[in-house]
Amino acid sequence: MTVSHVERPQNPGAARRGNHPALALTIIAASQLMVVLDATIVNIALPQMQQALGFSTTSLSWVLNAYTLAFGGLLLLGGRAGDILGRRRVFIAGILVFTLASLLGGLANSAGWLLAARALQGVGGAIAAPTALALITTNFQEGEERNRAFGVFGAVAVAGGALGLLAGGMLTSWLSWRWVLFVNVPIGVLLASLAPLYINESERQPGRFDVAGALTSTAGMTALVYGFIRAAQEGWSDTGTIASFVAAVVLLAAFFSIETRTRQPITPLHMF
């Protein structure tokens, strides 16, 4: 009697993980580089942006601040979304948001349009960055392989700021200020296309969003980041600076209080 062999269907989330670990790490590291790089890549282009879009001297700094504020304020929420919805899925969504924002920023014809695009870039970065780091744990075996992946990831994150200044200078000199944003579009599309093929999806954790924790953490981190930004511009004794730090303390204290009482916290405090 012949027993036919029937292959069991593979987990659709498995994709091609394990067969191409170098490609998986390249995708994850490149996404992190793109997110970190955009914090500084616009620096050299600021004078051209000011001339083209009519920024005032004080409002020009918000080309940097809008990105930093959105990115810092939404990091916790981005990480939690990855845990609940699936890290690869959320990672790809973050890259696509970042890519769309880069395209919109490059097409900007007014100061307000560019600032809105930069804030949206920060949102995309806050979604992609924590899930990119978490994906290393689901795509590389614990031990030497994972340690090496973390090393590459960390090196890319550290080098991103300096590379952003170099890339921004070259793109601004050779092309125009718009290309410091347009350059992300083909890279983002490529990363989002390759991620489902070479990156393993994480297991989705059953649960729901800690809405109160998400709101207080996001608002608190936003107030904290804004406080530092305003302090650099207006001074530490400025009323708005002080108010921002007070709001941050109140909101983050409320966040910690909520996290101790909720059954499914956005950030389990026992981690600390």
Side-chain angles (χ1 to χ4, degrees):
M1 180 181 293
T2 302
V3 180
S4 61
H5 174 70
V6 179
E7 293 187 356
R8 295 182 180 179
Q10 294 182 342
N11 180 356
R16 300 181 186 176
R17 74 186 189 284
N19 295 331
H20 303 278
L23 281 173
L25 181 57
T26 299
I27 294 167
I28 294 171
S31 69
Q32 179 67 8
L33 177 62
M34 187 171 65
V35 170
V36 174
L37 186 143
D38 261 67
T40 58
I41 195 171
V42 300
N43 287 22
I44 306 300
L46 288 176
Q48 287 191 16
M49 291 178 176
Q50 182 178 21
Q51 183 178 7
L53 301 180
F55 279 100
S56 65
T57 303
T58 54
S59 64
L60 186 63
S61 63
W62 281 98
V63 176
L64 302 174
N65 297 342
Y67 182 82
T68 304
L69 198 60
F71 181 77
L74 294 169
L75 272 174
L76 286 178
L77 191 57
R80 180 60 169 165
D83 291 339
I84 295 178
L85 302 176
R87 292 167 183 168
R88 188 183 68 183
R89 181 181 292 105
V90 173
F91 170 77
I92 294 172
I95 293 298
L96 290 176
V97 170
F98 189 93
T99 302
L100 174 62
S102 299
L103 176 62
L104 294 175
L107 296 173
N109 58 16
S110 68
W113 182 339
L114 180 59
L115 293 182
R118 285 288 287 170
L120 187 59
Q121 269 190 314
V123 173
I127 296 172
T131 49
L133 180 60
L135 281 170
I136 291 179
T137 64
T138 57
N139 285 269
F140 297 91
Q141 293 294 326
E142 187 175 2
E144 183 179 353
E145 183 183 65
R146 186 179 296 177
N147 293 339
R148 189 183 302 114
F150 276 127
V152 172
F153 186 90
V156 166
V158 170
L163 290 176
L165 293 174
L166 293 174
M170 290 188 293
L171 289 170
T172 303
S173 299
W174 297 345
L175 299 170
S176 78
W177 68 265
R178 296 183 184 276
W179 279 94
V180 302
L181 299 168
F182 281 148
V183 70
N184 295 319
V185 177
I187 298 173
V189 171
L190 180 63
L191 293 178
S193 300
L194 294 178
L197 301 178
Y198 300 108
I199 294 180
N200 173 35
E201 178 63 285
S202 64
E203 293 184 7
R204 297 173 62 176
Q205 299 182 6
R208 55 185 178 181
F209 283 102
D210 171 18
V211 177
L215 290 176
T216 52
S217 65
T218 300
M221 290 297 295
T222 301
L224 183 64
V225 174
Y226 178 77
F228 282 113
I229 290 172
R230 190 173 179 90
Q233 295 177 341
E234 306 294 338
W236 292 95
S237 60
D238 175 69
T239 303
T241 300
I242 296 172
S244 295
F245 283 124
V246 170
V249 169
V250 171
L251 288 165
L252 291 177
F255 165 68
F256 282 110
S257 176
I258 292 168
E259 299 306 276
T260 59
R261 292 181 286 105
T262 187
R263 296 180 61 183
Q264 296 180 348
I266 190 173
T267 303
L269 297 182
H270 66 78
M271 292 171 55
F272 298 98

